[in-house]
């Protein structure tokens, strides 16, 4: 299954490459990565090293940034005891 975030990154990179009139091989050579990795990155199926993705991003004049966001609590993965504690802290359970 393809990750939506990676697909979005790949589409942006592919768009930049085509705007510059470059082939995947030209990007690979200039960014010092394999052409197959360029293809995988562009179609959202890349599972290689982050450094490889970063080389392509850098070549395209882009950078990957991380932002903090709240992570949801998935109650389905909790034990019954932990679930009661989470429910109580959220005000969903008995006091």
């Amino acid at each position: 299954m393809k990750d939506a975030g990676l697909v979005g990154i790949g589409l942006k990179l592919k768009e930049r490459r085509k705007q510059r009139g470059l082939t995947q091989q030209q990007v690979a050579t200039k960014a010092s990565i394999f052409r197959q990795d360029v293809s995988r990155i562009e179609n959202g199926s890349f599972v290689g090293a982050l450094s490889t993705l970063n080389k392509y991003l850098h070549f395209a004049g882009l950078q990957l940034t991380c932002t903090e966001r709240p992570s949801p609590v998935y109650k389905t993965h909790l034990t019954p005891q932990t679930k009661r504690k989470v429910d109580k802290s959220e005000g969903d359970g008995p006091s």
Side-chain angles (χ1 to χ4, degrees):
M1 181 185 325
K2 293 182 182 181
D3 180 271
L6 290 177
V7 170
I9 291 169
L11 290 173
K12 182 69 172 176
L13 288 168
K14 184 175 184 177
E15 179 183 311
R16 288 267 177 121
R17 175 179 62 80
K18 289 190 171 204
Q19 285 173 350
R20 294 179 176 182
L22 298 172
T23 66
Q24 288 182 344
Q25 185 59 58
Q26 289 170 317
V27 169
T29 300
K30 293 175 188 247
S32 300
I33 59 178
F34 295 109
R35 192 218 43 90
Q36 293 88 342
D37 287 337
V38 171
S39 176
R40 289 181 189 113
I41 289 168
E42 289 183 355
N43 73 34
S45 63
F46 181 72
V47 292
L50 186 56
S51 61
T52 301
L53 176 58
N54 198 43
K55 286 179 183 180
Y56 192 169
L57 288 165
H58 181 74
F59 172 76
L62 301 170
Q63 67 181 15
L64 189 62
T65 59
C66 295
T67 56
E68 189 172 335
R69 64 184 174 130
S71 63
V73 175
Y74 297 101
K75 295 179 182 178
T76 57
H77 296 105
L78 300 175
T79 65
Q81 296 81 8
T82 307
K83 183 179 179 325
R84 281 194 293 275
K85 289 179 184 176
V86 170
D87 288 344
K88 189 173 182 179
S89 70
E90 292 177 354
D92 294 338
S95 300

